[in-house]
């Protein structure tokens, strides 16, 4: 997996001060995407054990609320396979941090609840979802763009509380 950026003090992609990892590779190609260069799976730098150490160190301070995964698309199958071991480490070593993920896929596709599940669902998607606190789902839609929305770019996107959703078996929005 490649990544294009790490922000160690991000305040735009989830509550509080966060560490954000922008992965490379996305097959959605949403018109109006704010980072079309991240569509290319080869863009940026190689994600290595040094990258993981850098991220874990950046997540350690008390003032850091958590980790946010963006892209590109964290739920492209190859990206999931690279991210899952890291998410396990985050949960084991610094369990008080929240994990947010942005995806152009809808939760119903990722979780296998939709008819004809999406191309991103693979053998580890359920575990990856179980390690995330909030999923911001849905493709960016230029015609539904709204810059006043909290932590998302278009009105079709949802902030989903994954823990409550998985417990209840139906979508529970974050903050409800």
């Amino acid at each position: 997996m490649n990544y294009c950026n790490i922000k160690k003090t991000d305040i735009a992609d989830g509550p509080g001060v966060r560490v954000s990892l922008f992965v490379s590779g996305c097959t959605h190609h949403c018109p109006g995407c704010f980072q079309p260069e991240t569509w290319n799976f080869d863009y940026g730098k190689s994600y290595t054990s040094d990258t993981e150490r850098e991220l874990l160190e950046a997540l350690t301070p008390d003032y850091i609320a958590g980790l946010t995964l963006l892209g590109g698309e964290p739920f492209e199958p190859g990206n999931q396979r690279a991210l899952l071991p890291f998410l396990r480490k985050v949960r084991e070593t610094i369990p008080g941090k929240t994990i947010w993920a942005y995806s152009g896929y809808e939760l119903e596709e990722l979780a296998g609840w939709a008819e004809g599940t999406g191309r991103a669902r693979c053998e580890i998607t359920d575990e990856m979802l179980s390690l995330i606190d909030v999923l911001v789902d849905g493709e960016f839609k230029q015609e539904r763009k709204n810059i006043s929305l909290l932590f998302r770019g278009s009105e079709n996107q949802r902030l989903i509380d994954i823990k409550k959703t998985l417990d209840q078996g139906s979508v529970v929005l974050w903050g409800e």
Side-chain angles (χ1 to χ4, degrees), residues 57-119:
E57 184 177 304
L59 283 163
T60 303
D62 290 341
Y63 66 88
I64 298 294
L67 170 70
T68 299
L69 304 172
L70 312 97
E73 173 59 70
F75 280 93
E76 294 292 353
N79 290 345
Q80 288 184 60
R81 291 180 185 107
L83 289 168
L84 181 61
F86 173 61
L87 294 179
R88 289 177 186 144
K89 283 181 192 172
V90 171
R91 286 291 183 215
E92 290 168 11
T93 60
I94 39 180
K97 307 295 180 173
T98 60
I99 299 175
W100 280 45
Y102 283 72
S103 179
Y105 297 101
E106 292 181 357
L107 173 63
E108 291 82 357
E109 294 176 87
L110 294 172
W113 300 345
E115 185 84 23
T117 59
R119 64 188 181 271

Side-chain angles (χ1 to χ4, degrees), residues 25-26 29-30 32-41 43 71-72:
C26 182
H29 299 186
C30 302
C33 174
F34 79 105
Q35 296 196 123
E37 63 277 7
T38 67
W39 297 350
N40 182 344
F41 285 84
Y43 181 75

